[in-house]
Amino acid sequence: MTEIIHPFYESHRGAMEAAMRHRLDLAEAMLCERAHLSNIDGIRQEVMDEFEIVLTQMPYVGGAASRMSDFFMRLMGFMAISRVLRRHGVSLSVIGEIERETYKAQLLTVPEAERLASGRQFMSSENQTLLREQATKSATKSHQKEFPEDFVYDFVEPGPGDNFEFGINYKACGFCKFAARHGDKEILPNICGLDFDAYATRGIHLERTQTLAGGASHCNFRFSRLPSD
């Protein structure tokens, strides 16, 4: 039986596949020099074939109405890259380095003004209001019943002496659930490592000292603005 891609992800499939091909272009030299792989064209095809499988496995968590859908669409492709590189005997640490540097290079192809505007929007009071609302919704029984593979999180207000503007405590992680379901726990920490550059390239400092993937009770994201040059 042919596996089905959810219609929401199918509608974004072209953009996601283009992003994957771009990542593989950016990673090519590192795949040769650090992973010691030679048949790069073969690796590319393996990754794109694996990404086809990942697309059928991606959980639907509400589409455009859920901010977490974007996280899945932007980052789940790295699961495909990790799976293929592990099959070729590449160490987890090297995979993590290649993926993080590739992702940073890809993010930096976006004009700086656009990236920083996105960061200001994320840190804005309007977005914080939206985050509070979605955090509350994520914890409801009705939402968890409808979207069991979604994230569950709390919005965190700074207290006296805190040096962050706001935080998010992820109490359940969609990537963790995905990894547990599909046998990807080994490569999961490399996905977590992508968060720091994702925010830094938008002018945001992320502080995080623990993760669910690392065995903690929650992931403690704390956000503040990076000083402008």
Side-chain angles (χ1 to χ4, degrees), residues 19-20 23-24 27 47 51 54 71-85 95-96 98-104 106-107 175 187 190-191 194:
M20 287 294 291
R23 287 169 189 168
L24 291 168
V47 170
F51 185 54
V54 169
F71 284 80
F72 279 132
M73 290 191 292
R74 283 190 287 113
L75 299 180
M76 200 64 88
F78 287 102
M79 288 287 191
I81 295 173
S82 293
R83 287 175 181 177
V84 170
L85 295 186
I95 293 172
I98 291 173
E99 290 181 338
R100 185 164 176 174
E101 291 183 35
T102 298
Y103 191 43
K104 182 177 181 180
Q106 186 174 39
L107 292 168
F175 289 105
I187 59 181
N190 287 337
I191 306 299
L194 301 171

Side-chain angles (χ1 to χ4, degrees), residues 9-26:
Y9 297 126
E10 184 66 56
S11 69
H12 292 84
R13 181 175 179 173
M16 287 191 284
E17 289 179 341
M20 287 294 291
R21 288 191 288 270
H22 186 206
R23 287 169 189 168
L24 291 168
D25 288 342
L26 294 169

Side-chain angles (χ1 to χ4, degrees), residues 22 104-116 118 201:
H22 186 206
K104 182 177 181 180
Q106 186 174 39
L107 292 168
L108 289 174
T109 62
V110 177
E112 182 181 36
E114 186 177 331
R115 287 186 278 109
L116 295 181
S118 173
T201 54

Side-chain angles (χ1 to χ4, degrees), residues 56-221:
T56 69
Q57 297 170 337
M58 285 171 62
Y60 179 68
V61 294
S66 169
R67 60 182 285 266
M68 306 317 298
S69 296
D70 185 57
F71 284 80
F72 279 132
M73 290 191 292
R74 283 190 287 113
L75 299 180
M76 200 64 88
F78 287 102
M79 288 287 191
I81 295 173
S82 293
R83 287 175 181 177
V84 170
L85 295 186
R86 281 304 282 156
R87 288 202 291 265
H88 283 268
V90 183
S91 70
L92 292 171
S93 61
V94 170
I95 293 172
E97 291 172 7
I98 291 173
E99 290 181 338
R100 185 164 176 174
E101 291 183 35
T102 298
Y103 191 43
K104 182 177 181 180
Q106 186 174 39
L107 292 168
L108 289 174
T109 62
V110 177
E112 182 181 36
E114 186 177 331
R115 287 186 278 109
L116 295 181
S118 173
R120 288 192 295 272
Q121 191 281 326
F122 178 79
M123 298 298 292
S124 70
S125 58
E126 293 82 4
N127 190 55
Q128 289 184 47
T129 298
L130 176 64
L131 287 170
R132 288 186 188 92
E133 293 171 355
Q134 292 215 342
T136 300
K137 182 179 179 181
S138 77
T140 62
K141 289 183 179 180
S142 59
H143 182 83
Q144 293 178 36
K145 182 178 180 180
E146 186 175 5
F147 304 112
E149 304 304 309
D150 200 359
F151 296 71
V152 179
Y153 51 100
D154 291 328
F155 186 91
V156 180
E157 306 280 1
D162 284 330
N163 58 0
F164 62 89
E165 293 189 41
F166 68 91
I168 299 175
N169 284 347
Y170 287 96
K171 300 185 292 186
C173 167
F175 289 105
C176 292
K177 295 174 185 178
F178 180 95
R181 180 182 294 272
H182 298 291
D184 296 309
K185 283 187 176 182
E186 180 183 53
I187 59 181
L188 180 61
N190 287 337
I191 306 299
C192 304
L194 301 171
D195 292 326
F196 293 94
D197 288 311
Y199 288 105
T201 54
R202 291 186 286 159
I204 300 167
H205 172 67
L206 166 64
E207 182 177 349
R208 187 183 65 201
T209 60
Q210 62 185 44
T211 62
L212 286 160
S217 61
H218 62 277
C219 305
N220 59 342
F221 285 63

